[in-house]
Amino acid sequence: RAKRRGRHQVCFYRESLSDAMSRADRLRNELPRAIARGEIYVVYQPIVDASTLSWVSVEALVRWRHKEWGELSPGEFLPIAEEARLMPAITRRVVEEAISSLAKWRQSGLSLTLSLNISAQDCQLYGDLVDDLSRAVAECGVKPEDVEIELTEQSLMEHAAEELVRTLCERGFRIALDDFGTGYASLAYLRRFQVTRIKIDRSYVARLYTNEYYERLIRAVMALAHELGLDVTAEGVETAEQEALLRAIGVNRLQGFRYGRPASASALQEVAAGHTDPL
Ligand code: C2E
Ligand code: MG
Ligand code: MG
Ligand code: MG
């Protein structure tokens, strides 16, 4: 009996150890097939104009529909994708799906534009990105001017970023600097990369009422943006107080759960009818 119980305990131990380790390992194993099978999809979060509070744009945010664990967020699987050098394969999916969604919204009379996130690894490895983007907008009948590419300070520090951004601009795409204030890029990057929008990271918005310093910081970013002719979006707006202060400071656009959580293209289209100005 002792022997049996002992064996049992060993089994139990091994099982729980593998349970704890398996999620990331399994995601790593399953990701290539998930991409091929279309389990990677896109949700969209509205972005509002700060003065009218009507929806003017949406950001495409990637998700993985896992057969066992349901909807996975990018925070969980993008690091795994990066490690496996699979970011370009994911971005290709996002580009196709998001631009065809944009085309559908515009055909139904919604005057929305689209933001897409591009990672540092895309800058490195996705050599056909601009061609794929150009083909997607041409095939769907939307204008490159209606598509904004969000890059982080980290992406801009990639060797290939300068050429990538220059080509994107030449083709008419807009460039936004995402998560502003969380990276290591210098202010010189704003000019060098023809950035037209700064997105203030939500960690700053979240701290707005905890310390007056953060209000001054956002005012300073706003003044800088004004001098350089840049638009500013604040991310992560959740409360009426944050909204009021950000509007008073003069931020151009607001994004956050207060205006809508990321949703499917069709759900967004239904709700958008009541929140957007006609095309
Ligand atoms: P991000 O580009 O800064 O996107 C905004 C993130 O903040 C989204 O998280 C969004 O759901 C979340 N968010 C928006 N409003 C609020 C709010 O009011 N409160 C809080 N707490 N959060 C809010 P998500 O979708 O989990 O994406 C996280 C990050 O993953 C993104 O940050 C972006 O860096 C990356 N990501 C998402 N989709 C893609 C993609 O298609 N390609 C690449 N390269 N990166 C992506
Ligand atoms: Mg973004
Ligand atoms: Mg952001
Ligand atoms: Mg952010």
Side-chain angles (χ1 to χ4, degrees):
R1 270 178 77 182
K3 197 174 165 195
R4 257 177 73 179
R5 190 165 60 227
R7 199 170 54 203
H8 225 86
Q9 279 166 353
V10 168
C11 280
F12 179 74
Y13 171 71
R14 284 175 55 184
E15 246 169 48
S16 66
L17 184 69
S18 73
D19 274 353
M21 289 176 53
S22 69
R23 184 150 160 143
D25 288 341
R26 272 190 54 190
L27 293 181
R28 197 170 293 118
N29 288 332
E30 292 170 7
L31 184 56
R33 225 177 320 152
I35 297 170
R37 286 178 176 169
E39 292 172 21
I40 302 297
Y41 64 104
V42 187
V43 291
Y44 305 88
Q45 184 178 35
I47 299 169
V48 306
D49 179 279
S51 44
T52 63
L53 297 183
S54 58
W55 293 10
V56 288
S57 191
V58 299
E59 178 170 2
L61 297 161
V62 70
R63 298 288 184 268
W64 176 354
R65 189 177 292 107
H66 191 276
K67 44 200 170 311
E68 227 167 284
W69 297 317
E71 181 175 279
L72 306 185
S73 62
E76 181 166 18
F77 67 86
L78 289 189
I80 293 171
E82 294 247 349
E83 220 179 285
R85 297 168 81 82
L86 285 170
M87 274 311 303
I90 290 176
T91 301
R92 188 173 294 120
R93 290 271 161 178
V94 172
V95 163
E96 274 176 25
E97 193 173 321
I99 290 184
S100 90
S101 294
L102 174 65
K104 280 184 203 135
W105 297 324
R106 296 191 69 96
Q107 276 155 22
S108 74
L110 299 173
S111 58
L112 292 168
T113 60
L114 174 75
S115 280
L116 292 169
N117 292 284
I118 298 301
S119 70
Q121 191 171 85
D122 291 316
C123 296
Q124 261 178 12
L125 300 181
Y126 193 170
D128 294 329
L129 173 60
V130 184
D131 286 338
D132 286 354
L133 272 166
S134 299
R135 182 162 6 90
V137 295
E139 278 173 4
C140 292
V142 296
K143 297 193 299 277
E145 290 76 13
D146 292 331
V147 179
E148 188 167 77
I149 306 299
E150 297 189 3
L151 293 130
T152 61
E153 294 162 64
Q154 191 196 352
S155 309
L156 293 184
M157 291 169 82
E158 283 298 327
H159 202 66
E162 190 156 2
E163 159 101 42
L164 172 68
V165 170
R166 194 172 41 74
T167 321
L168 285 169
C169 290
E170 279 168 13
R171 305 268 180 108
F173 296 98
R174 311 253 181 236
I175 307 295
L177 186 50
D178 203 359
D179 302 341
F180 186 73
T182 61
Y184 301 99
S186 77
L187 292 176
Y189 279 55
L190 292 174
R191 179 184 167 80
R192 199 164 121 211
F193 287 100
Q194 307 178 58
V195 169
T196 52
R197 173 182 309 283
I198 291 172
K199 297 190 76 172
I200 298 176
D201 191 66
R202 73 179 145 89
S203 57
Y204 293 97
V205 173
R207 290 184 193 126
L208 257 182
Y209 277 92
T210 64
N211 187 326
E212 197 205 329
Y213 172 77
Y214 291 98
E215 181 182 337
R216 291 208 299 273
L217 197 70
I218 292 180
R219 284 190 191 280
V221 170
M222 214 39 236
L224 172 82
H226 185 75
E227 286 300 324
L228 299 177
L230 306 173
D231 267 15
V232 176
T233 300
E235 300 184 309
V237 182
E238 294 182 355
T239 69
E241 290 75 17
Q242 292 166 344
E243 175 185 277
L245 190 48
L246 291 164
R247 291 175 88 182
I249 292 173
V251 168
N252 306 91
R253 289 182 178 182
L254 308 172
Q255 177 179 3
F257 293 164
R258 180 165 175 76
Y259 313 103
R261 298 204 173 231
S264 72
S266 54
L268 188 120
Q269 177 160 340
E270 274 175 33
V271 184
H275 286 83
T276 51
D277 298 326
L279 198 60

